[in-house]
Amino acid sequence: DLWGTAFLMSKYSIAQEEAAYLSLLMYFGLAIGSFILPWLCEKLKVLDSAIIFSTIALLVLFALVLYGPMYSKNALGLLLIAIGIFCGAEMMCFTGALHHSNRHNSGEIIGVVNTFNMLGGAILQQIVGVVLDWRWHGAFQVSGLRYYSPADFIFALSSLTILLAFCMLFFFALKQKRRIKNA
């Protein structure tokens, strides 16, 4: 969310107001996904499968926005809403952590999951900023802000796709370890 508006302005050559509006559509999707995904997964008892499906969907959707062609504003808006919806899987991670822990330490488990959640976002925003500064070529916008090309943003925001791919691999490794332990 910190770099979304600037990225959309750079890649799609749209005004700041439009880019900010489009970027905010992710929060609209998150509001929907945060309620619907956990409810649906609890009802269908598919928590682990839904988390990995959401991670894969996020990876694909984010890659489409980041590396894909130029989309119309409507198509881009729908992609960003979908990204927000699948970000709702974040809420299922709290439930998943509690399902695989002892009831007596549920407060600590929720605290650890929330810490990783908040810390991850803070660290990733810094990483993207550092990479953008590293790639900066000394150009400024008319407004006096640093100019980053679409390629600079794509390179820096690729850290998110790498993280999503890592999370997916980590999930499969944990699932395999659980299978071996239960066998």
Side-chain angles (χ1 to χ4, degrees):
D1 56 353
L2 177 63
W3 302 105
T5 300
F7 165 72
L8 294 174
M9 289 171 56
S10 179
K11 181 172 180 181
Y12 292 94
S13 301
I14 54 179
Q16 183 176 3
E17 295 79 20
E18 289 177 303
Y21 169 77
L22 287 168
S23 186
L24 283 174
L25 289 176
M26 286 189 296
Y27 288 108
F28 176 70
L30 180 62
I32 294 168
S34 295
F35 288 106
I36 291 176
L37 285 178
W39 171 79
L40 190 60
C41 293
E42 286 289 321
K43 190 168 185 74
L44 299 175
K45 300 189 186 318
V46 292
L47 186 66
D48 286 354
S49 300
I51 291 172
I52 192 59
F53 176 78
S54 294
T55 304
I56 293 168
L58 275 173
L59 181 61
V60 169
L61 292 168
F62 192 72
L64 284 173
V65 171
L66 198 58
Y67 310 115
M70 301 292 273
Y71 299 105
S72 70
K73 290 176 191 165
N74 291 335
L76 183 59
L78 290 174
L79 282 171
L80 294 171
I81 290 171
I83 287 172
I85 288 171
F86 286 110
C87 281
E90 175 183 339
M91 304 312 153
M92 295 184 301
C93 294
F94 289 91
T95 304
L98 288 175
H99 279 289
H100 299 293
S101 67
N102 188 335
R103 275 188 146 210
H104 301 294
N105 63 351
S106 61
E108 290 93 353
I109 296 296
I110 292 297
V112 168
V113 171
N114 194 43
T115 298
F116 279 120
N117 177 33
M118 300 310 287
L119 192 60
I123 290 171
L124 277 171
Q125 289 180 0
Q126 293 299 316
I127 289 171
V128 170
V130 166
V131 172
L132 281 171
D133 285 345
W134 175 64
R135 301 253 320 177
W136 185 52
H137 301 291
F140 288 94
Q141 298 175 18
V142 175
S143 64
L145 297 174
R146 289 183 177 194
Y147 170 77
Y148 301 107
S149 71
D152 294 335
F153 275 111
I154 290 168
F155 186 82
L157 291 170
S158 290
S159 59
L160 296 172
T161 57
I162 292 167
L163 178 65
L164 285 168
F166 175 76
C167 288
M168 205 170 54
L169 294 173
F170 187 67
F171 177 85
F172 286 124
L174 283 177
K175 196 163 182 93
Q176 182 65 26
K177 186 175 182 180
R178 204 174 320 144
R179 273 193 217 130
I180 292 170
K181 184 179 176 183
N182 292 335

